[in-house]
Amino acid sequence: MSFEQEESGVMKRLWVHAARHKKRFGWGILMLLLTNAVAQCMPQLMRMIINGLESGESVDYLQALAWAMVGLAVSGAVFRTLSRIAIFFSARDVEMEFRNEFFVHLTNQDAGFYQKHPTGDLMSRATNDLGQLRLLLGPGLLNVVNTTIGYSVAIPLMWMISPQITMVILAVYP
């Protein structure tokens, strides 16, 4: 079996295992959407407060905006925590399923298998390689989704404020 075939088989099994936890992964992604929505609202509230201070708005109005910011900050922290719990725990469950599969595979091998495969190599796969799957589905997925949502919301908002400044800022990315 070639490396590409082996890798393809592992990826297929990874997605099969991940699909078993799709509700929790989906919940985590929904919480990430809410986290980003709250994060995008904070600067707008700050803008409203600054404009209110400049235009002499009433203290009650400014206080209401300040409390709204506190509420958004608390809700953002809750959404962020829930997203991490859902995604990270799902990733740990997938890792555990892979570890159990690997253990069953090892216990079904004959003695000749262990002559061909060094114990250190098997231990490395059991610890490092399977841990990497958890990192792919946990922090990896979280960062890809979070970054995608953040940019897809922030860039249009920046463009609405100033297309010229947005172009200058985006010019340094490549």
Side-chain angles (χ1 to χ4, degrees):
M1 177 182 290
S2 73
F3 175 75
E4 288 81 18
Q5 290 172 327
E6 184 178 328
E7 186 177 303
S8 173
V10 171
M11 291 307 292
K12 285 179 186 173
R13 286 197 341 260
L14 174 66
W15 298 127
V16 166
H17 283 289
R20 293 180 190 154
H21 304 278
K22 65 184 173 191
K23 285 183 181 177
R24 240 189 335 175
F25 278 119
W27 174 254
I29 290 170
L30 174 65
M31 292 297 104
L32 280 176
L33 282 167
L34 292 173
T35 300
N36 278 282
V38 166
Q40 297 301 327
C41 290
M42 294 298 271
Q44 302 305 320
L45 267 177
M46 183 59 74
R47 178 183 54 82
M48 292 170 65
I49 290 171
I50 292 170
N51 288 345
L53 286 169
E54 289 176 345
S55 65
E57 290 287 344
S58 71
V59 173
D60 291 338
Y61 173 76
L62 295 173
Q63 191 174 29
L65 290 177
W67 280 113
M69 280 189 82
V70 169
L72 278 175
V74 169
S75 63
V78 169
F79 295 147
R80 185 174 308 277
T81 301
L82 291 175
S83 72
R84 278 153 176 70
I85 288 171
I87 291 173
F88 291 170
F89 281 27
S90 297
R92 285 190 186 278
D93 289 346
V94 171
E95 177 189 22
M96 183 182 66
E97 291 169 10
F98 262 95
R99 284 188 190 283
N100 290 337
E101 267 186 28
F102 188 61
F103 177 75
V104 168
H105 174 74
L106 290 177
T107 56
N108 290 330
Q109 299 304 313
D110 59 7
F113 174 84
Y114 294 100
Q115 295 295 324
K116 292 184 221 171
H117 298 90
T119 304
D121 182 50
L122 296 174
M123 292 300 294
S124 173
R125 290 182 187 271
T127 55
N128 300 332
D129 295 359
L130 293 176
Q132 292 301 313
L133 292 177
R134 176 180 43 83
L135 293 176
L136 170 68
L137 288 176
L141 175 68
L142 184 131
N143 287 325
V144 167
V145 171
N146 208 19
T147 302
T148 302
I149 294 168
Y151 279 115
S152 63
V153 172
I155 292 173
L157 286 175
M158 290 167 50
W159 189 268
M160 288 176 7
I161 294 169
S162 173
Q164 294 83 10
I165 294 176
T166 303
M167 293 302 290
V168 169
I169 290 170
L170 293 177
V172 298
Y173 271 81

